[in-house]
Amino acid sequence: MAENGFGNDLVWLSVLVQRRYAQICADHDLTSAQATLLCAIKDRPQGMGELAQLLGVAKNALSGLVDRVERLGLVRRETHERDRRAITLTTTPLGEKVVGALYADVAARMPDITAALSADERRRLADSVARITSDAPQTVSRTV
């Protein structure tokens, strides 16, 4: 363990993960926030209030993010017949294609961060990460 402590090591691991994720997103012409939004609605449409809570952002910030992703043709807003104020966000066919490619790229490239570990160490790390994240509130589909 590094002399600065395990907490510091976790912070730097987080930085490495965030940098790699940002690069993968950029390779798909997305920001990390845009990609995470797509991941959050990949498997099922979400209401705007629910999305704001899941992503940990204010509703007005989410509206701006959705506007930008909608202009890219990746999502669409749908209103409910009974309550036209309630808006659900869903992916478009193009959005489904983009998020599918993003998922595949994350699966292929993110594990490279652990290249310095042996196969057994990678397996143990994967098991540990799965246990840690299984108890965390899920904001995006588990396949990312």
Side-chain angles (χ1 to χ4, degrees):
M1 191 176 314
E3 73 180 53
N4 289 326
F6 185 57
N8 189 62
D9 292 342
L10 287 174
V11 168
W12 284 107
L13 176 59
S14 171
V15 169
L16 289 173
V17 168
Q18 290 173 42
R19 283 181 184 164
R20 177 65 54 90
Y21 184 59
Q23 182 58 57
I24 293 168
C25 294
D27 291 347
H28 292 271
D29 296 322
L30 298 169
T31 66
S32 296
Q34 292 169 338
T36 302
L37 173 67
L38 286 172
C39 292
I41 63 171
K42 177 185 177 292
D43 294 325
R44 72 177 184 90
Q46 302 271 351
M48 294 290 281
E50 185 180 23
L51 269 174
Q53 185 177 17
L54 287 172
L55 300 176
V57 298
K59 286 183 184 181
N60 60 343
L62 177 61
S63 291
L65 174 62
V66 170
D67 288 344
R68 290 185 294 280
V69 178
E70 190 174 37
R71 280 193 296 271
L72 295 172
L74 304 177
V75 299
R76 70 176 163 264
R77 291 177 168 106
E78 297 176 347
T79 57
H80 297 274
E81 288 181 18
R82 287 182 279 166
D83 184 358
R84 303 218 20 104
R85 294 171 298 167
I87 295 174
T88 300
L89 195 65
T90 188
T91 54
T92 63
L94 176 60
E96 290 174 18
K97 181 180 175 182
V98 168
V99 78
L102 175 71
Y103 269 57
D105 211 7
V106 166
R109 293 173 52 194
M110 194 62 77
D112 292 348
I113 291 172
T114 64
L117 302 177
S118 69
D120 187 53
E121 288 171 321
R122 283 193 303 275
R123 183 192 50 76
R124 288 194 323 256
L125 177 61
D127 290 345
S128 296
V129 169
R131 278 197 329 264
I132 291 166
T133 60
S134 71
D135 291 336
Q138 295 303 306
T139 59
V140 295
S141 175
R142 293 282 301 167
T143 56
V144 157

